[in-house]
Short mmCIF file of all heavy atoms in Angstrom, two decimals:
data_model
loop_
_atom_site.label_atom_id
_atom_site.label_comp_id
_atom_site.label_asym_id
_atom_site.label_seq_id
_atom_site.Cartn_x
_atom_site.Cartn_y
_atom_site.Cartn_z
N TYR A 342 276.66 130.27 87.99
CA TYR A 342 275.64 129.56 88.76
C TYR A 342 276.24 128.71 89.84
O TYR A 342 275.87 128.72 91.01
CB TYR A 342 274.75 128.74 87.84
CG TYR A 342 273.69 128.00 88.60
CD1 TYR A 342 272.56 128.63 89.13
CD2 TYR A 342 273.82 126.59 88.80
CE1 TYR A 342 271.57 127.90 89.79
CE2 TYR A 342 272.84 125.90 89.48
CZ TYR A 342 271.73 126.53 89.99
OH TYR A 342 270.79 125.87 90.69
N PHE A 343 277.21 127.86 89.46
CA PHE A 343 277.78 126.91 90.39
C PHE A 343 278.72 127.56 91.40
O PHE A 343 278.78 127.12 92.54
CB PHE A 343 278.46 125.75 89.63
CG PHE A 343 277.53 124.80 89.03
CD1 PHE A 343 277.27 124.84 87.65
CD2 PHE A 343 276.80 123.90 89.83
CE1 PHE A 343 276.33 123.97 87.10
CE2 PHE A 343 275.87 123.03 89.23
CZ PHE A 343 275.64 123.06 87.89
N SER A 344 279.38 128.63 91.01
CA SER A 344 280.21 129.35 91.99
C SER A 344 279.34 130.02 93.03
O SER A 344 279.66 130.04 94.24
CB SER A 344 281.10 130.35 91.28
OG SER A 344 280.37 131.40 90.70
N SER A 345 278.25 130.61 92.61
CA SER A 345 277.35 131.24 93.58
C SER A 345 276.73 130.20 94.48
O SER A 345 276.50 130.44 95.68
CB SER A 345 276.24 132.02 92.81
OG SER A 345 275.42 131.15 92.08
N ASN A 346 276.42 129.02 93.93
CA ASN A 346 275.90 127.96 94.80
C ASN A 346 276.93 127.46 95.82
O ASN A 346 276.60 127.22 96.96
CB ASN A 346 275.48 126.75 93.92
CG ASN A 346 274.03 126.97 93.40
OD1 ASN A 346 273.42 127.94 93.67
ND2 ASN A 346 273.57 126.05 92.61
N GLU A 347 278.21 127.41 95.38
CA GLU A 347 279.25 126.99 96.29
C GLU A 347 279.43 128.02 97.41
O GLU A 347 279.61 127.69 98.57
CB GLU A 347 280.57 126.86 95.52
CG GLU A 347 280.62 125.57 94.69
CD GLU A 347 281.82 125.58 93.78
OE1 GLU A 347 282.72 126.44 93.92
OE2 GLU A 347 281.92 124.68 92.86
N GLU A 348 279.38 129.32 96.99
CA GLU A 348 279.48 130.38 98.02
C GLU A 348 278.36 130.32 99.03
O GLU A 348 278.56 130.46 100.23
CB GLU A 348 279.47 131.77 97.34
CG GLU A 348 280.77 132.04 96.56
CD GLU A 348 280.62 133.30 95.72
OE1 GLU A 348 279.60 134.01 95.83
OE2 GLU A 348 281.55 133.56 94.90
N GLU A 349 277.13 130.07 98.53
CA GLU A 349 276.00 129.90 99.43
C GLU A 349 276.22 128.72 100.35
O GLU A 349 275.86 128.79 101.57
CB GLU A 349 274.71 129.76 98.61
CG GLU A 349 274.27 131.02 97.91
CD GLU A 349 273.08 130.80 97.00
OE1 GLU A 349 272.53 129.69 97.01
OE2 GLU A 349 272.70 131.75 96.27
N THR A 350 276.73 127.61 99.81
CA THR A 350 276.94 126.44 100.64
C THR A 350 277.98 126.72 101.72
O THR A 350 277.80 126.36 102.89
CB THR A 350 277.42 125.26 99.78
OG1 THR A 350 276.45 125.04 98.76
CG2 THR A 350 277.61 124.01 100.58
N GLU A 351 279.10 127.41 101.31
CA GLU A 351 280.12 127.77 102.28
C GLU A 351 279.56 128.69 103.38
O GLU A 351 279.90 128.50 104.57
CB GLU A 351 281.30 128.43 101.55
CG GLU A 351 282.12 127.48 100.72
CD GLU A 351 283.14 128.20 99.87
OE1 GLU A 351 283.24 129.40 100.04
OE2 GLU A 351 283.79 127.52 99.03
N GLU A 352 278.79 129.67 102.98
CA GLU A 352 278.22 130.60 103.96
C GLU A 352 277.33 129.82 104.93
O GLU A 352 277.31 130.05 106.16
CB GLU A 352 277.39 131.65 103.24
CG GLU A 352 278.27 132.71 102.56
CD GLU A 352 277.47 133.68 101.77
OE1 GLU A 352 276.21 133.63 101.87
OE2 GLU A 352 278.03 134.49 101.02
N TYR A 353 276.54 128.90 104.41
CA TYR A 353 275.64 128.11 105.23
C TYR A 353 276.40 127.24 106.20
O TYR A 353 276.08 127.16 107.37
CB TYR A 353 274.73 127.22 104.35
CG TYR A 353 273.78 126.33 105.14
CD1 TYR A 353 272.63 126.90 105.77
CD2 TYR A 353 274.06 124.96 105.33
CE1 TYR A 353 271.79 126.10 106.51
CE2 TYR A 353 273.20 124.16 106.04
CZ TYR A 353 272.06 124.74 106.63
OH TYR A 353 271.21 123.96 107.35
N GLU A 354 277.51 126.61 105.72
CA GLU A 354 278.32 125.80 106.60
C GLU A 354 279.00 126.58 107.72
O GLU A 354 279.05 126.14 108.87
CB GLU A 354 279.41 125.03 105.76
CG GLU A 354 278.80 123.90 104.89
CD GLU A 354 279.81 123.29 103.95
OE1 GLU A 354 280.93 123.89 103.84
OE2 GLU A 354 279.52 122.29 103.33
N GLU A 355 279.44 127.79 107.35
CA GLU A 355 280.09 128.68 108.37
C GLU A 355 279.06 129.05 109.40
O GLU A 355 279.31 129.10 110.62
CB GLU A 355 280.63 129.91 107.66
CG GLU A 355 281.92 129.67 106.90
CD GLU A 355 282.32 130.88 106.12
OE1 GLU A 355 281.72 131.96 106.35
OE2 GLU A 355 283.26 130.80 105.27
N TYR A 356 277.83 129.31 108.93
CA TYR A 356 276.75 129.70 109.86
C TYR A 356 276.39 128.53 110.79
O TYR A 356 276.21 128.72 111.96
CB TYR A 356 275.52 130.06 109.01
CG TYR A 356 274.29 130.32 109.83
CD1 TYR A 356 274.12 131.52 110.52
CD2 TYR A 356 273.27 129.36 109.93
CE1 TYR A 356 272.97 131.73 111.29
CE2 TYR A 356 272.15 129.58 110.69
CZ TYR A 356 271.99 130.77 111.36
OH TYR A 356 270.87 131.02 112.12
N GLU A 357 276.45 127.30 110.26
CA GLU A 357 276.15 126.09 111.06
C GLU A 357 277.20 125.95 112.14
O GLU A 357 276.90 125.59 113.29
CB GLU A 357 276.13 124.82 110.16
CG GLU A 357 274.89 124.74 109.30
CD GLU A 357 273.69 124.27 110.08
OE1 GLU A 357 273.68 123.13 110.53
OE2 GLU A 357 272.77 125.08 110.24
N GLU A 358 278.46 126.19 111.75
CA GLU A 358 279.57 126.06 112.73
C GLU A 358 279.41 127.08 113.85
O GLU A 358 279.59 126.77 115.05
CB GLU A 358 280.90 126.26 112.02
CG GLU A 358 281.28 125.07 111.15
CD GLU A 358 282.58 125.32 110.38
OE1 GLU A 358 283.22 126.35 110.68
OE2 GLU A 358 282.89 124.57 109.47
N LEU A 359 279.07 128.34 113.48
CA LEU A 359 278.88 129.37 114.47
C LEU A 359 277.72 129.01 115.43
O LEU A 359 277.80 129.19 116.62
CB LEU A 359 278.63 130.70 113.80
CG LEU A 359 279.83 131.33 113.10
CD1 LEU A 359 279.36 132.54 112.27
CD2 LEU A 359 280.88 131.79 114.13
N GLU A 360 276.68 128.53 114.82
CA GLU A 360 275.50 128.17 115.64
C GLU A 360 275.80 126.95 116.56
O GLU A 360 275.33 126.92 117.71
CB GLU A 360 274.32 127.71 114.67
CG GLU A 360 273.66 128.90 113.99
CD GLU A 360 272.87 129.77 114.97
OE1 GLU A 360 271.98 129.27 115.66
OE2 GLU A 360 273.22 130.99 115.04
#
Side-chain angles (χ1 to χ4, degrees):
Y342 178 76
F343 286 104
S344 65
S345 64
N346 276 359
E347 285 171 10
E348 287 170 10
E349 287 173 9
T350 303
E351 287 172 6
E352 286 174 7
Y353 178 75
E354 288 173 350
E355 287 174 8
Y356 174 78
E357 286 283 294
E358 288 174 10
L359 288 170
E360 285 291 301

